[in-house]
Amino acid sequence: GRTRIVAMFNVTSTSQPTTICDSDSTNSFTEIEIDGVVQPNVASSYTFVTTGEHTVKYTLVDPTSIGYYDFYGCNGLTSVTIPNSITSIGGWAFQDCTSLTSVTIGNSITSIGNYAFDGCSGLTSITVEATTPPTLGSGTFRNNASGRKIYVPAESLETYKTTIGWSIYASDIQAIQ
């Protein structure tokens, strides 16, 4: 089975290239599909030819993990859905994705690396579907938007709030509605 990460991009200008993956992470993907069109060479950097909303699907080489720096600095990335097959997110994976506003992380996640979402200054909503809190690296959710909320399963609310790593975000953690 293939694991795909579905990401939404909002392209405000086509004169400035919008990064769709970190140049060092192209070996993490077997295929990239942009707006339904499969791109033939993952090593290439792609630019969007029109402004507005675009859907990008990344097929992962390792179906269980997102690698280090995979989406680092993806300036146009607005939302990402991480499927249930993913068990780990590498360090710095989404660092400095400044347009990113929402993230949904599937129920199999067991670890999220150092600074994975650091510098995501637009990030207001993080949903973690795992009932057991994943281990967190340092600075995982540093420098997010003020008023950011982390949504977790209702039956695990108190566990998240008191677990090492998560407890520093306790005031932001709420039950999934």
Side-chain angles (χ1 to χ4, degrees), residues 128-146:
V128 184
E129 296 172 343
T131 51
T132 301
T135 57
L136 282 190
S138 57
T140 303
F141 300 114
R142 204 174 64 160
N143 300 317
N144 292 167
S146 60

Side-chain angles (χ1 to χ4, degrees), residues 20-23 25-34 37-47 57-59:
I20 63 162
C21 64
D22 186 65
S23 57
S25 71
T26 52
N27 58 356
S28 294
F29 310 119
T30 60
E31 186 180 278
I32 295 174
E33 180 189 297
I34 302 175
V37 178
V38 173
Q39 303 300 328
N41 180 3
V42 176
S44 300
S45 58
Y46 299 104
T47 53
K57 295 177 180 176
Y58 303 83
T59 304

Side-chain angles (χ1 to χ4, degrees), residues 103-154:
V103 174
T104 301
I105 301 171
N107 60 24
S108 300
I109 194 77
T110 58
S111 70
I112 304 175
N114 295 336
Y115 307 104
F117 295 95
D118 175 37
C120 294
S121 54
L123 188 55
T124 56
S125 173
I126 300 154
T127 301
V128 184
E129 296 172 343
T131 51
T132 301
T135 57
L136 282 190
S138 57
T140 303
F141 300 114
R142 204 174 64 160
N143 300 317
N144 292 167
S146 60
R148 173 238 13 241
K149 298 292 178 225
I150 300 171
Y151 299 98
V152 302

Side-chain angles (χ1 to χ4, degrees), residues 47-64:
T47 53
F48 296 97
V49 291
T50 56
T51 56
E53 285 284 325
H54 297 275
T55 303
V56 180
K57 295 177 180 176
Y58 303 83
T59 304
L60 297 177
V61 171
D62 177 347
T64 63

Side-chain angles (χ1 to χ4, degrees), residues 5 9 12:
I5 305 296
F9 282 80
T12 54

